[in-house]
Amino acid sequence: MLTGACGAVLAGAAGLVAVRLGGWDDGTSLALVVVGLPYTALAGVLALGVLLALRSWWPAALAAVLVAVQLVWLVPRLVPEGGGAPAADAPRLRVATSNAYLGQADAAALVRLVREQRVDVLALEEFGPGAAERLDRAGIAEVLPHREQRPGRDTAIFSRLPLTPLDGSASEAAREQIAAEVTVGGRAVRLTAVHTYYPMGDAARWAEDFDELRAAVAGATRNAVLLGDFNATLDHTPMRALLGTGLTDSHEELGRGVAPTWPVSNSYFPGLWPVIQIDHVLHGEALRAVSVAEHTVRGTDHRAVVAELAVTG
């Protein structure tokens, strides 16, 4: 019985490893199962221990290979990147992202998060009808007086610093995003609020959204910050392709690459706890992550992410 259970675990792990290696999740329903990879790695370690105890040497050898492959992918996320801390006098930018759950996130809680975390820039996703008015009543303009939003788009950027819209020197793909620039310590930082479609709804559309993001940052990643609900983990092929353009995930950089942000309990779905990380802050090489943390905001099914970035170049 134990051997059979271990065999089932190994079969699942082998399938996920094959999907990730082959990139078969890109635009397909296999994107849904890739989110389980960290958990199959843990299950594989347990299965390996059981098989060794049972002296099932050949299955144990297979388990060891599968576990080793997955650990090669996962362990670096838990180890902070080297290079030392950024200079103490490097300008800092504190950014936050929160999925507003079709505008139902508690506006007062969002404003409180901005105040308590000294947020300079807030990106909101699922910025539904009436959300702007509720935030205005809650006093968002007192702390973040500048904003970038557009009719028909469900993302928005609120900022303490003046926002400069992207001009004609930016690509058309970049200008299609909700994006703007801020000046931090005399240096321009380009911000893009991200909300890709969810793969359960339409995996092809999800992959197309990532294609558009890659086109938007092509040749302009150095001073870029992309933050929001990517509906993707670090194991998804489109996400890895986006990171391959020259971007760094702040959680991974700081050794916190497994920090679940979804799903969180709300009035519609009580009793939930986050199991996957789909909310991210990505940045280019001109910035370094100093800190990153998750925060619960009442009324939404995502945890907010707050990151402090040092502008180093």
Side-chain angles (χ1 to χ4, degrees), residues 180-208:
E181 290 188 351
V182 295
T183 300
V184 183
R187 302 162 190 175
V189 175
R190 179 181 293 185
L191 303 153
T192 301
V194 174
H195 187 212
T196 66
Y197 203 72
Y198 59 111
M200 184 180 294
D202 187 335
R205 181 175 169 185
W206 169 74
E208 289 169 1

Side-chain angles (χ1 to χ4, degrees), residues 204-281:
R205 181 175 169 185
W206 169 74
E208 289 169 1
D209 283 351
F210 273 96
D211 291 341
E212 292 172 4
L213 284 174
R214 289 197 302 276
V217 299
T221 59
R222 190 173 187 279
N223 68 332
V225 176
L226 281 70
L227 67 169
D229 174 7
F230 289 75
N231 274 308
T233 71
L234 298 180
D235 290 306
H236 281 111
T237 298
M239 184 64 155
R240 290 185 286 116
L242 179 61
L243 290 169
T245 63
L247 297 169
T248 298
D249 179 83
S250 296
H251 278 94
E252 184 174 27
E253 180 180 10
L254 296 174
R256 299 195 61 247
V258 182
T261 60
W262 182 88
V264 178
S265 295
N266 57 35
S267 57
Y268 293 94
F269 299 101
L272 300 177
W273 62 92
V275 293
I276 59 174
Q277 182 183 7
I278 56 177
D279 302 270
H280 305 268
V281 175

Side-chain angles (χ1 to χ4, degrees), residues 1-303:
M1 186 175 186
L2 283 176
T3 303
C6 291
V9 168
L10 296 183
L16 281 181
V17 167
V19 169
R20 192 188 191 283
L21 286 173
W24 300 333
D25 60 303
D26 191 357
T28 75
S29 59
L30 291 173
L32 303 180
V33 298
V34 169
V35 301
L37 196 143
Y39 297 101
T40 62
L42 177 60
V45 171
L46 296 175
L48 174 59
V50 170
L51 291 168
L52 289 173
L54 295 174
R55 301 186 177 223
S56 297
W57 304 124
W58 284 110
L62 173 60
V65 171
L66 290 172
V67 167
V69 170
Q70 292 175 92
L71 291 181
V72 166
W73 294 331
L74 296 172
V75 169
R77 301 177 196 173
L78 306 177
V79 180
E81 292 186 8
D89 60 351
R92 305 298 173 96
L93 179 68
R94 291 183 64 83
V95 301
T97 174
S98 177
N99 182 302
Y101 198 60
L102 298 176
Q104 297 180 60
D106 188 301
L110 285 169
V111 172
R112 185 163 55 251
L113 176 73
V114 169
R115 291 185 188 278
E116 292 176 352
Q117 296 299 316
R118 308 182 313 283
V119 170
D120 298 309
V121 175
L122 171 67
L124 293 176
E125 305 83 50
E126 291 195 23
F127 192 63
E133 291 78 3
R134 286 190 289 275
L135 283 166
D136 284 334
R137 288 196 297 270
I140 191 73
E142 297 173 13
V143 285
L144 302 176
H146 308 281
R147 69 183 66 179
E148 180 75 17
Q149 60 185 106
R150 194 180 308 154
R153 299 300 297 266
D154 75 340
T155 54
I157 296 174
F158 293 79
S159 177
R160 180 182 63 82
L161 305 168
L163 292 168
T164 303
L166 303 189
D167 59 24
S169 64
S171 68
E172 181 179 352
R175 286 182 278 116
E176 281 296 312
Q177 305 292 323
I178 297 298
E181 290 188 351
V182 295
T183 300
V184 183
R187 302 162 190 175
V189 175
R190 179 181 293 185
L191 303 153
T192 301
V194 174
H195 187 212
T196 66
Y197 203 72
Y198 59 111
M200 184 180 294
D202 187 335
R205 181 175 169 185
W206 169 74
E208 289 169 1
D209 283 351
F210 273 96
D211 291 341
E212 292 172 4
L213 284 174
R214 289 197 302 276
V217 299
T221 59
R222 190 173 187 279
N223 68 332
V225 176
L226 281 70
L227 67 169
D229 174 7
F230 289 75
N231 274 308
T233 71
L234 298 180
D235 290 306
H236 281 111
T237 298
M239 184 64 155
R240 290 185 286 116
L242 179 61
L243 290 169
T245 63
L247 297 169
T248 298
D249 179 83
S250 296
H251 278 94
E252 184 174 27
E253 180 180 10
L254 296 174
R256 299 195 61 247
V258 182
T261 60
W262 182 88
V264 178
S265 295
N266 57 35
S267 57
Y268 293 94
F269 299 101
L272 300 177
W273 62 92
V275 293
I276 59 174
Q277 182 183 7
I278 56 177
D279 302 270
H280 305 268
V281 175
L282 313 182
H283 65 80
E285 64 180 17
L287 300 103
R288 289 275 303 278
V290 177
S291 66
V292 65
E294 306 77 50
H295 300 266
T296 299
V297 175
R298 187 172 59 189
T300 174
D301 59 342
H302 290 244
R303 299 201 79 192

